[in-house]
Amino acid sequence: MHKPGRVPLHLATHAAALLARVIEGPPPADRQMEQYFRQHRKLGVRDRGFVAETVYGALRRLRLLRHVAGIDADYTALICVQLLRQGLSVRALEEARLADPAMLRALAERLRTLDMAALPLPIRADMPDWLVAELGRELDEGQILALATALNRAAPLDIRANTLKANREQLMARLAGEGIDMAPTPYSPVGLRRTDRAPLFGSPAFQDGWFEVQDEGSQLLALLVEPRRREMVADYCAGAGGKTLMLGAMMANTGMLYAFDIHARRLAEIRPRLARAGLDNVRVVALAGERDPLLSRLSGKMHRVLVDAPCSGTGTLRRNPDIKWRPVDLPEITAIQGRILARAATLVRPGGRLVYATCSLLRAENEDVVEAFLAENPSFRLLPVSEVLARQRVDLPMDGPMLRLYPHVHGTDGFFAAVLEHLPS
């Protein structure tokens, strides 16, 4: 165990090596970290926490670190700047023999004399130029900086009560009995939150299926679907099934709920979660693609369809800061989103509902996709999300008819949603 204010050389070296792996390797960062720590089992829990915290801090402020250290600086230099930002002294880094003392002193001096107000907006916001430009379509400079500040903080831990087994108050009381204090989320009537990221998977309440970990914004997306008992509902891009589980509970484990995705391995994660939650109204289907025969057989039969479309993930940067530094082909992503939305719409019966959602902050993936769809599909109309949420006991007024959630405003991850009704014939 290392003393506060000091850092052993091997921990700083591990941080530099892990930062290189995360940036240069395939995403996501948490999986890279998990693999790295499995390969270095001699690192204790406290040491792993120090390394992970340092790397996540570097990923959040990577553009600033590169500005201070130099655009061509190696990962050791970047970690040195991050450790200085974390409050370690030059003396501590010199004692760790992490880098040449003259370089360490130069980095510390650059950091000390840095005039943040004089820097270009992308460096102050710690974002790539393209992302700042896209955000500028909706936000002014002050709003972008406020958003960036929120995105550069660790996200809280939100959970959702499984209403098949307990309401929020019962869950909160049980967790308190287990020594876990949580507070109600501001908007979702079934959500609880704690500010630290301590894992809850060992909790007896979790093992008994009383709750699932789910960001409050994600909970609000499921509430927009408003599924009823005995309906036919589809979660079109179900992934690992977080919203599927909530929809099944809202349906009181009745009717038929389809969990669709083209990634069979991700869908496999749903099955143990369904068993723990006590849900048996869900049919898990790995689609062969947009032309899967099952989609044709279900055409026009669904009361509700949720499309949480694959996207840039820019709304999740609190949890996945490495996303900022990976190339994004926005035209390709939006083309895929348009195709997915159009195909999912064919499942919706007249009078039924289609909810299009993303965890993106970008208008190109959100309003632009919905507006293009509505222009080509006059049989669908937009419903105001505030009215839908009010029926679900959620007081969340919006400036327009679509849902926009921002970390710096709502405390959730960044989410977008539009509620579309298929007009009766």
Side-chain angles (χ1 to χ4, degrees), residues 53-313:
E53 176 188 354
T54 300
V55 171
Y56 270 119
L59 289 170
R60 291 188 174 101
R61 305 310 303 266
L62 189 61
R63 187 139 193 199
L64 179 65
L65 301 188
R66 283 176 166 157
H67 177 78
V68 173
I71 193 66
D72 297 322
D74 62 20
Y75 293 107
T76 298
L78 296 176
I79 287 297
C80 287
V81 179
Q82 177 56 27
L83 291 172
L84 290 168
R85 291 188 65 256
Q86 288 178 197
L88 271 78
S89 67
V90 173
R91 180 184 291 260
L93 295 183
E94 287 178 344
E95 290 177 355
R97 300 185 302 279
L98 187 58
D100 177 78
M103 186 191 84
L104 291 173
R105 289 192 292 272
L107 292 177
E109 180 63 15
R110 284 182 219 157
L111 200 56
R112 187 186 69 79
T113 59
L114 189 66
D115 182 2
M116 287 292 292
L119 296 177
L121 178 58
I123 297 178
R124 283 183 285 155
D126 264 287
M127 294 177 180
D129 292 353
W130 74 265
L131 181 53
V132 170
E134 286 293 326
L135 290 172
R137 296 182 61 190
E138 295 290 301
L139 307 176
D140 61 28
E141 181 174 310
Q143 291 169 324
I144 290 174
L145 289 173
L147 171 62
T149 299
L151 290 173
N152 285 330
R153 296 192 186 109
L157 178 67
D158 291 353
I159 66 174
R160 171 188 58 80
N162 176 8
T163 52
L164 291 178
K165 299 190 175 186
N167 60 33
R168 177 165 67 177
E169 288 68 32
Q170 291 168 330
L171 172 61
M172 189 161 52
R174 178 171 179 180
L175 290 174
E178 296 179 13
I180 302 170
D181 293 324
M182 303 195 76
T185 46
Y187 306 112
S188 170
V190 293
L192 292 173
R193 174 173 295 167
R194 67 185 297 173
T195 53
D196 66 69
R197 296 285 298 167
L200 300 179
F201 299 120
S203 158
F206 177 77
Q207 299 298 328
D208 290 343
W210 277 41
F211 71 87
E212 284 285 338
V213 174
Q214 185 178 13
D215 183 78
E216 184 183 24
S218 176
Q219 297 175 36
L220 296 180
L221 299 187
L223 291 174
L224 288 174
V225 181
E226 281 192 304
R228 299 170 182 164
R229 299 184 183 208
R230 295 179 292 279
E231 286 189 333
M232 289 184 69
V233 179
D235 186 352
Y236 193 80
C237 301
K243 285 175 282 297
T244 304
L245 293 165
M246 184 169 176
L247 294 173
M250 293 174 71
M251 295 167 69
N253 203 25
T254 66
M256 177 59 73
L257 173 57
Y258 288 88
F260 292 137
D261 208 287
I262 60 172
H263 301 290
R265 194 164 75 175
R266 289 205 70 198
L267 278 176
E269 299 177 30
I270 298 180
R271 298 189 187 280
R273 301 175 76 185
L274 293 173
R276 188 173 57 247
L279 284 168
D280 55 22
N281 70 331
V282 179
R283 182 179 174 188
V284 181
V285 180
L287 296 175
E290 296 174 16
R291 299 179 183 275
D292 193 295
L294 178 60
L295 297 179
S296 297
R297 292 198 297 272
L298 293 174
S299 180
K301 294 183 179 179
M302 294 290 167
H303 295 89
R304 320 265 166 167
V305 176
L306 170 63
V307 178
D308 186 4
C311 67
S312 64

Side-chain angles (χ1 to χ4, degrees), residues 359-370:
C359 56
S360 170
L361 297 165
L362 309 182
R363 181 180 179 87
E365 299 180 82
N366 297 331
E367 288 91 347
D368 289 358
V369 172
V370 172

